[in-house]
Amino acid sequence: MKPENVLYGELQEMAEITKAMGHPVRLYILKKLSRLNACCYSGDLVEELPVGRSTLSQHLKELKYAGLIQGETEPPYIKYCLNRENWEKARAMFYALFDEDRQL
Amino acid sequence: MKPENVLYGELQEMAEITKAMGHPVRLYILKKLSRLNACCYSGDLVEELPVGRSTLSQHLKELKYAGLIQGETEPPYIKYCLNRENWEKARAMFYALFDEDRQL
DNA sequence: TATACATTTCGTAATTTCGCGAAATATTAA
DNA sequence: TTAATATTTCGCGAAATTACGAAATGTATA
């Protein structure tokens, strides 16, 4: 594989997901949502975390963009849950990385 | 726990590690080094990756700073390997996150 | 000692991230 | 329709990230 192409594909995809996870606020949200059948509302989070509403909204947006969570309208709230399908994909990528030394 | 303190401790630590992993070049390096007994030299990497020497050096520095790799002088080279102890710690953190929904 | 080689540090520029408050949007209730 | 509530988007500044080439560092060899 030529050097120019080494960083595309799965590696690029994993980097985007990892980057989206690389902030304490976003990890907090993911940790909370990863519990079985968990979900949350922006309003809950803003009371648990030391950030303003607009900042929190940005973090949620990033997690959504990375495909790790999804929001479902439940007026007057928006209910956030994990995107389980992508979460499993992410899990598989991390497991593969961390188990690299066991795949011989 | 007060909102101000929620993001400290383990969450903060995991965010730093995750951030260090969130770049395709650094993931490439980690993936390579995570194979059993693997190690590499900056010179090898610079030929496999589409980045300059100084850029690569910065990425190695970040991985070192995050504790994920370590460099050992082996003149005239520097041999890089995983820091296995911290790598296991990182593995444990990711496994805990991804298995949150199975810990009931 | 002088030279060669591998790697890092420095200085710089372009871009992205992070956080905030104000304003906008969307939906329900009066 | 108007007011109230939940959330997002906008606009901004400060700080961090990414990348590069040039210069510096450190070590072995001639």
Side-chain angles (χ1 to χ4, degrees):
Chain A
M1 201 173 198
K2 287 191 180 176
E4 299 79 58
N5 304 318
V6 162
L7 305 179
Y8 290 151
E10 195 168 341
L11 213 51
Q12 177 68 40
E13 193 184 353
M14 182 164 181
E16 269 154 29
I17 288 171
T18 309
K19 208 153 84 173
M21 294 172 65
H23 187 286
V25 163
R26 299 196 290 268
L27 277 178
Y28 178 92
I29 296 168
L30 291 174
K31 197 142 200 129
K32 190 179 180 89
L33 292 184
S34 63
R35 284 162 41 224
L36 190 59
N37 295 325
C39 66
C40 71
Y41 302 89
S42 175
D44 302 339
L45 293 170
V46 94
E47 290 183 17
E48 298 168 24
L49 293 167
V51 294
R53 293 172 191 281
S54 62
T55 303
L56 181 63
S57 186
Q58 274 192 162
H59 286 302
L60 289 167
K61 189 176 169 183
E62 274 188 76
L63 290 173
K64 246 186 298 180
Y65 182 76
L68 292 170
I69 68 171
Q70 55 197 309
E72 181 183 341
T73 288
E74 196 179 74
Y77 304 101
I78 296 173
K79 186 170 84 173
Y80 286 101
C81 318
L82 277 193
N83 180 324
R84 289 282 165 186
E85 189 183 326
N86 289 335
W87 186 246
E88 285 303 323
K89 265 180 63 179
R91 186 207 304 259
M93 288 193 295
F94 280 99
Y95 276 43
L97 175 61
F98 283 109
D99 285 337
E100 197 84 30
D101 58 344
R102 300 178 179 175
Q103 293 168 8
L104 304 175
Chain B
M1 201 175 199
K2 286 191 179 174
E4 298 78 57
N5 304 318
V6 163
L7 304 179
Y8 290 151
E10 195 168 343
L11 213 50
Q12 177 68 40
E13 192 184 353
M14 182 165 181
E16 269 155 29
I17 289 171
T18 309
K19 208 154 82 174
M21 294 172 65
H23 187 286
V25 164
R26 299 196 291 268
L27 276 178
Y28 178 92
I29 296 169
L30 291 173
K31 197 143 199 127
K32 190 179 181 89
L33 292 184
S34 63
R35 284 162 40 223
L36 190 60
N37 295 325
C39 65
C40 72
Y41 302 89
S42 175
D44 302 339
L45 293 170
V46 94
E47 290 182 19
E48 298 169 24
L49 293 168
V51 294
R53 291 170 192 281
S54 61
T55 303
L56 181 63
S57 187
Q58 275 192 159
H59 286 304
L60 289 167
K61 189 176 168 184
E62 273 188 76
L63 289 173
K64 246 187 297 180
Y65 182 77
L68 293 170
I69 68 171
Q70 54 197 309
E72 182 184 340
T73 288
E74 196 178 74
Y77 304 102
I78 297 173
K79 186 169 84 173
Y80 286 101
C81 319
L82 278 193
N83 180 323
R84 289 281 165 187
E85 189 183 327
N86 289 336
W87 187 245
E88 285 303 323
K89 265 180 63 178
R91 187 207 302 260
M93 288 194 293
F94 279 98
Y95 276 42
L97 175 62
F98 282 109
D99 285 336
E100 197 84 30
D101 59 344
R102 298 176 181 175
Q103 294 167 8
L104 306 173

